[in-house]
């Protein structure tokens, strides 16, 4: 069954760009879920997996640049989390191509990772932004 969970405020971290990118990421995961549930062709599912991988890579670079601009103290650890997800996702895609992995398993993995990462790791960025307060607003680091 496709993931029907709508965007929820619990995924928001308070940075307009990151939140916008997270909405797109969740939308791509839902697209994969629908394709899997409706019996889309293997080729179509592979294209969506490739899109998700490329988008995740883009989003992680974007988020890491924002964290660097904010001098976020946990940047190195956060980058490592991103690197691990990309490696896991690449493995899932290779296993799917080899008929060793179902798309449903990839959807479950991606959604669980997304939900956990945004509500825990990315919330730490939100707390850091909140502590920066007005100084970040004046520097343009936070969009409200």
């Amino acid at each position: 069954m496709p993931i029907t969970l709508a965007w929820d405020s619990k995924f928001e971290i308070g940075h307009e760009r990151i939140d916008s990118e997270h909405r797109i990421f969740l939308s791509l995961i839902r697209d994969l879920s629908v394709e899997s549930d409706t019996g889309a062709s293997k080729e179509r599912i592979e294209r969506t997996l490739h899109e998700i991988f490329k988008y995740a890579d883009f989003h992680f670079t974007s988020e890491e640049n924002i964290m660097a601009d904010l001098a976020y103290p946990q940047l190195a650890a956060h980058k490592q989390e991103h690197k691990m997800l990309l490696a896991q996702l690449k493995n899932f895609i290779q296993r799917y191509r080899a008929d060793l992995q179902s798309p449903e398993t990839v959807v479950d993995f991606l959604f669980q990772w997304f939900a956990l990462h945004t509500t825990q790791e990315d919330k730490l960025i939100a707390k850091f932004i909140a502590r920066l307060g007005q100084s970040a607003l004046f520097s343009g680091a936070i969009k409200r």
Side-chain angles (χ1 to χ4, degrees):
M1 183 154 121
I3 294 172
T4 56
L5 181 64
W7 178 260
D8 189 297
S9 62
K10 70 182 174 192
F11 299 133
E12 292 179 4
I13 73 157
H15 188 283
E16 183 181 324
R17 183 167 167 186
I18 292 173
D19 289 339
S20 175
E21 290 176 10
H22 283 170
R23 283 182 183 91
I24 293 168
F25 202 179
L26 182 58
S27 176
L28 289 169
I29 295 168
R30 276 193 306 248
D31 289 350
L32 179 63
S33 179
V34 168
E35 289 170 6
S36 173
D37 191 55
T38 59
S41 70
K42 182 172 179 132
E43 185 267 338
R44 178 64 188 126
I45 289 173
E46 283 184 27
R47 286 190 289 130
T48 301
L49 285 168
H50 181 71
E51 183 179 5
I52 291 169
F53 183 88
K54 295 290 259 183
Y55 190 80
D57 190 32
F58 156 78
H59 166 65
F60 293 160
T61 299
S62 176
E63 193 173 271
E64 291 162 9
N65 283 337
I66 290 166
M67 289 186 287
D69 288 345
L70 296 171
Y72 182 63
Q74 299 300 317
L75 174 60
H78 205 100
K79 282 175 96 168
Q80 189 60 34
E81 288 266 334
H82 290 164
K83 185 177 177 180
M84 286 179 2
L85 172 76
L86 289 175
Q88 288 174 305
L89 183 53
K90 186 175 185 176
N91 183 52
F92 272 113
I93 292 169
Q94 290 169 343
R95 291 179 53 79
Y96 175 73
R97 285 185 181 137
D99 294 321
L100 299 172
Q101 193 79 61
S102 74
E104 296 87 4
T105 304
V106 182
V107 168
D108 288 344
F109 163 75
L110 282 170
F111 183 73
Q112 293 302 321
W113 190 91
F114 173 84
L116 189 65
H117 186 78
T118 58
T119 59
Q120 293 183 5
E121 295 302 319
D122 287 349
K123 285 289 184 179
L124 296 176
I125 300 169
K127 288 178 183 175
F128 182 75
I129 289 171
R131 283 195 306 270
L132 289 177
Q134 292 297 327
S135 63
L137 285 172
F138 290 121
S139 72
I142 299 175
K143 308 245 189 305
R144 291 195 185 187

